[in-house]
Amino acid sequence: MKEIVCKLLVIGAGPGGYVCAIRAGQLGIDTVIVEAGKPGGTCLTVGCIPSKALIHAAEEFDATQKMLAGKNPMGVRVEGASIDLAKTIAWKDGIVGRLTAGVSGLLQKARVKIVHGRAHFRDGKTVEVETETGQQIIRAETVVIATGSDPVELANLPFGGRVISSTEALSLTELPKKLVVVGGGYIGLELGIAFSKMGSEVSVVEATPQVLPLYDAELVRPVMRKLSESGIRLLAGAKAMALADNGEALIVETSDGRRETLPADRVLVTVGRRPRTAGSGLEELDLDRAGPYLRIDDQCRTSMRGIYAIGDVTGEPMLAHRAMAQGEMVAEIVAGRKRGWDKRCIPAICFTDPEIVTVGLSPVEARAQGYEIRTAQFPFSANGRAMTMLSEEGFVRVVARADTNLVLGLQAVGVGVSELSAAFALAIEMGARLEDIAGTIHAHPTRSEAVMEAALKALGNALHI
Ligand code: FAD
Ligand code: NAD
């Protein structure tokens, strides 16, 4: 039996784990990372990147379809269009391959030892890994748990056959004619919209009265409008009961208590994700939990000394950039640097059509925290660049303290607004005031001018509206 002794052991090479290991290696810490699958984790292999590749392909196809149908006023016409989903998936797999190989290369460059296999805890500082070449024991002074999350399965609709999770949805090589999505959150809407654009007939069954319940109704409204325009059927306040006896349809209880049968080639269940803690000896360690997640403090320390946890296994928001920021911070703490979780905001983006981005507090959240606020919206319908891109839907919204004009939140809904998230987050991290945004020259013509205009409007000085 082989044995490795190291200073730092990272379990899981998703965005949390691999960033932690790279930074630790850069800081000269003797680091080992164990990964059961491919480096890059959920995000690179079956999450962020594959879904955005599919969404982009779907948008390109949809735009071509609209040109074909003569539905664009720009004068662009095309003769014919089709989508070869198997080729789209192969293209997506190529991107995934390049990125996962890139992560391996970065780990090697940082002198991190990669062990391939599933880690199982023997005790808090020792794991065993079944590798292709036999059992490997790893002992470490410090351990970082970065094991991520798995899709939640519904007891009445277990995965298998026609019932799939996002992982299978991202590798379908044949387009489902009829797709029923259960859960209208991030994944359900991002993928539901993409499949609709590619030509599937899509229905979304959402338990709460509004899709994307995490976002405020104002931001979600343009998405709702687009869902209905594109023929996606939304059953809000509805319950997915079970597959019909022939297995070819989903039985749903609608908000008014009726039963409806929705024919489905595939039923995509996207009702959240749960921490991946089972089967790796974590239960026996008996670490403190926050609900189902591992409880951490502001340095990502768990209840056991020398054991840290980062990323999805520690709960919401389950976002790759949060996991990465935690990973970088923990590596520096292990290297003896003084660090704590001092972020003012974690941007969140929903890659729907149109996209939604939110950073900091919404007006409702700011008021609930006792702030008196100034808030203003600037619509893309008054933005020249948006007009030239046929994307006038949506707006930018700013929320600031009424007494000091300190910016508390920035949100937007519109085509391509995800790229505004950096400006939004920077403004909040830097403690910007409305005057800072309004006084910054924003290049013309860009959609980002709407950010400056929203700040001007909040100050009572709007120029272009
Ligand atoms: P993971 O990425 O889940 O990585 C954990 C790794 O640990 C895995 O590789 C796993 O194999 C490994 N592992 C687990 N247990 C063991 C063990 N015992 N031994 C060895 N290895 C183990 N987030 C965004 O910010 N933006 C997006 O656009 C976005 N889109 C998404 C789309 C989809 C369809 C999904 C499913 C998720 C999406 N997410 C997105 C969420 C994002 O993928 C996660 O927040 C992120 O991957 C979490 O990183 P992590 O390092 O905590 O865990
Ligand atoms: P989610 O929490 O975003 O949405 C789940 C939805 O399912 C909610 O609207 C919920 O009300 C609904 N729901 C729950 N139980 C239900 C039931 N029995 N029947 C019908 N509806 C039900 O979860 P998700 O879409 O599975 O995504 C999981 C996580 O992945 C998210 O929390 C997010 O952090 C991450 N993610 C992020 C992005 C992004 O950043 N763009 C994209 C995809 C996923």
Side-chain angles (χ1 to χ4, degrees), residues 81 141 155 312 357 423 434:
E141 257 174 58
D312 282 10
V357 49
L434 290 171

Side-chain angles (χ1 to χ4, degrees), residues 105-400:
L106 290 170
L107 287 165
Q108 278 157 17
K109 191 172 145 209
R111 297 179 199 286
V112 174
K113 182 169 176 53
I114 310 172
V115 175
H116 298 280
R118 181 161 296 280
H120 192 276
F121 279 94
R122 275 190 171 177
D123 61 50
K125 299 296 166 69
T126 317
V127 302
E128 50 193 41
V129 186
E130 279 312 326
T131 71
E132 273 185 357
T133 54
Q135 202 183 48
Q136 174 83 66
I137 303 291
I138 308 170
R139 293 184 204 285
E141 257 174 58
T142 306
V143 177
V144 177
I145 301 168
T147 50
S149 63
D150 280 318
V152 167
E153 189 172 53
L154 291 174
N156 52 345
L157 220 48
F159 293 127
R162 289 185 189 218
V163 183
I164 58 172
S165 75
S166 54
T167 301
E168 293 77 39
L170 290 166
S171 285
L172 291 176
T173 48
E174 249 178 66
L175 200 64
K177 279 200 178 67
K178 289 178 194 295
L179 174 70
V180 177
V181 179
V182 179
Y186 275 98
I187 302 180
L189 284 198
E190 287 186 4
L191 294 186
I193 291 172
F195 276 102
S196 161
K197 283 183 193 289
M198 290 189 287
S200 298
E201 197 180 301
V202 176
S203 311
V204 177
V205 179
E206 164 59 42
T208 66
Q210 183 199 292
V211 288
L212 293 175
L214 282 176
Y215 292 93
D216 62 79
E218 233 177 1
L219 286 171
V220 175
R221 207 166 292 128
V223 177
M224 297 280 292
R225 235 185 333 259
K226 204 66 189 272
L227 286 178
S228 115
E229 269 171 36
S230 56
I232 295 179
R233 180 155 180 232
L234 176 62
L235 294 97
K239 270 195 214 122
M241 306 303 286
L243 282 184
D245 286 343
N246 63 7
E248 293 173 5
L250 179 72
I251 302 169
V252 173
E253 191 181 293
T254 57
S255 55
D256 55 5
R258 281 178 306 111
R259 294 255 163 149
E260 225 186 282
T261 304
L262 305 175
D265 302 306
R266 300 280 178 177
V267 177
L268 168 59
V269 178
T270 54
V271 294
R273 295 180 64 84
R274 57 181 169 79
R276 203 180 278 131
T277 50
S280 51
L282 266 170
E283 279 91 348
E284 289 82 79
L285 289 187
D286 205 21
L287 299 170
D288 280 1
R289 303 277 176 137
Y293 305 105
L294 298 184
R295 181 190 293 282
I296 51 167
D297 67 8
D298 66 355
Q299 290 189 311
C300 292
R301 291 181 297 196
T302 66
S303 53
M304 194 175 279
R305 193 203 284 225
I307 302 189
Y308 294 78
I310 57 176
D312 282 10
V313 76
T314 64
E316 295 285 356
M318 288 194 255
L319 298 174
H321 40 281
R322 168 178 172 263
M324 291 193 237
Q326 289 178 321
E328 185 266 350
M329 178 187 77
V330 167
E332 297 226 334
I333 292 170
V334 174
R337 298 197 176 176
K338 266 208 156 122
R339 291 285 303 272
W341 188 259
D342 57 0
K343 311 291 181 201
R344 292 189 183 193
C345 59
I346 302 174
I349 299 165
C350 199
F351 292 84
T352 37
D353 178 14
E355 293 173 348
I356 302 178
V357 49
T358 119
V359 181
L361 302 179
S362 69
V364 172
E365 289 163 341
R367 286 193 190 101
Q369 291 193 17
Y371 291 109
E372 246 186 72
I373 59 164
R374 265 179 228 289
T375 176
Q377 280 185 16
F378 187 84
F380 285 114
S381 57
N383 173 276
R385 178 68 167 156
M387 286 181 200
T388 65
M389 299 179 80
L390 292 177
S391 50
E392 295 178 40
E393 184 93 56
F395 57 84
V396 172
R397 182 174 72 194
V398 63
V399 184

